[in-house]
Amino acid sequence: MAEEDTDRPSEGHPVLTGVVALVAVALTVGLILGGGALAVSRVLGIGGSDEATSGSTVQETMFLPPVEPTNPDSEPLLTLAPNPEGSVSQFPSDEPSEEEPESSISLQAGQTEVGAMERIDLTGVYPGGEGAILQVQQFENGTWGDFPVTATVSNETFTTYIQTGKPGPNRFRVVDTDDDEISNEVKVTIG
């Protein structure tokens, strides 16, 4: 009977045989995929090669200009004032306007011409006016009157919008409700 047991193949460890087979298949697949990835990276030039570093005369460089100190301007460069031709100037004027007194509140209109009841965006800068409430005013019948819109200053800037149906040229400004500081005026044609 002992001779019969030695002639049969070993069936005592089928789980171990399966695990060994899985490890062998995983290693084979890993080697094939790794070799393929290496071949593709060499063809595409990914990862560099010894030839590129030793035989090449081209070197990658990064040029940084020298650091130069800048002088802060006395007024913000955010202001876009309309010029006489109706287009918006990209640079603030160094000369104060004869029409408008110097103000610490700077107001801009996003549009110079709109249709009746179309949106007019008002934005501006108010240095030192953090938290201030600004009342929008409109010039009518020779006097400035409150428009039913306000804006709050946050990070020294403010933004709001208005709508009006009054045709023709309209003038707007903002006033600080606490200390009566007045902005420059902006002109928008409604029509």
Side-chain angles (χ1 to χ4, degrees):
M1 287 204 176
E3 290 178 26
E4 290 178 16
D5 289 337
T6 57
D7 289 340
R8 278 201 262 157
S10 173
E11 295 179 11
H13 303 288
V15 173
L16 181 62
T17 306
V19 170
V20 169
L22 282 175
V23 169
V25 169
L27 282 173
T28 304
V29 170
L31 287 173
I32 291 171
L33 290 177
L38 180 62
V40 168
S41 69
R42 293 222 181 199
V43 169
L44 296 177
I46 300 172
S49 66
D50 293 338
E51 294 174 7
T53 57
S54 63
S56 177
T57 58
V58 177
Q59 294 180 342
E60 294 181 24
T61 61
M62 184 169 120
F63 175 74
L64 293 175
V67 176
E68 297 178 10
T70 58
N71 296 328
D73 292 329
S74 60
E75 54 183 86
L77 294 178
L78 184 64
T79 303
L80 300 177
N83 64 21
E85 292 83 34
S87 64
V88 177
S89 171
Q90 293 183 1
F91 303 101
S93 172
D94 290 338
E95 301 173 10
S97 172
E98 294 178 13
E99 298 174 9
E100 304 167 358
E102 198 63 34
S103 172
S104 65
I105 303 175
S106 176
L107 176 66
Q108 299 82 238
Q111 300 79 13
T112 56
E113 293 183 23
V114 297
M117 298 308 292
E118 286 186 1
R119 181 178 172 137
I120 302 168
D121 296 308
L122 299 177
T123 60
V125 179
Y126 188 8
E130 189 66 28
I133 305 296
L134 303 178
Q135 174 67 53
V136 177
Q137 291 187 331
Q138 182 177 23
F139 192 78
E140 287 186 295
N141 303 323
T143 62
W144 288 99
D146 288 348
F147 200 83
V149 174
T150 60
T152 304
V153 178
S154 176
N155 294 324
E156 297 188 347
T157 62
F158 59 92
T159 183
T160 190
Y161 73 94
I162 58 174
Q163 295 172 301
T164 183
K166 181 183 172 204
N170 284 266
R171 296 163 45 189
F172 300 98
R173 70 181 186 183
V174 293
V175 178
D176 186 337
T177 58
D178 289 335
D179 66 8
D180 296 326
E181 180 73 29
I182 300 171
S183 75
N184 58 299
E185 68 179 54
V186 294
K187 297 175 185 171
V188 179
T189 302
I190 310 295

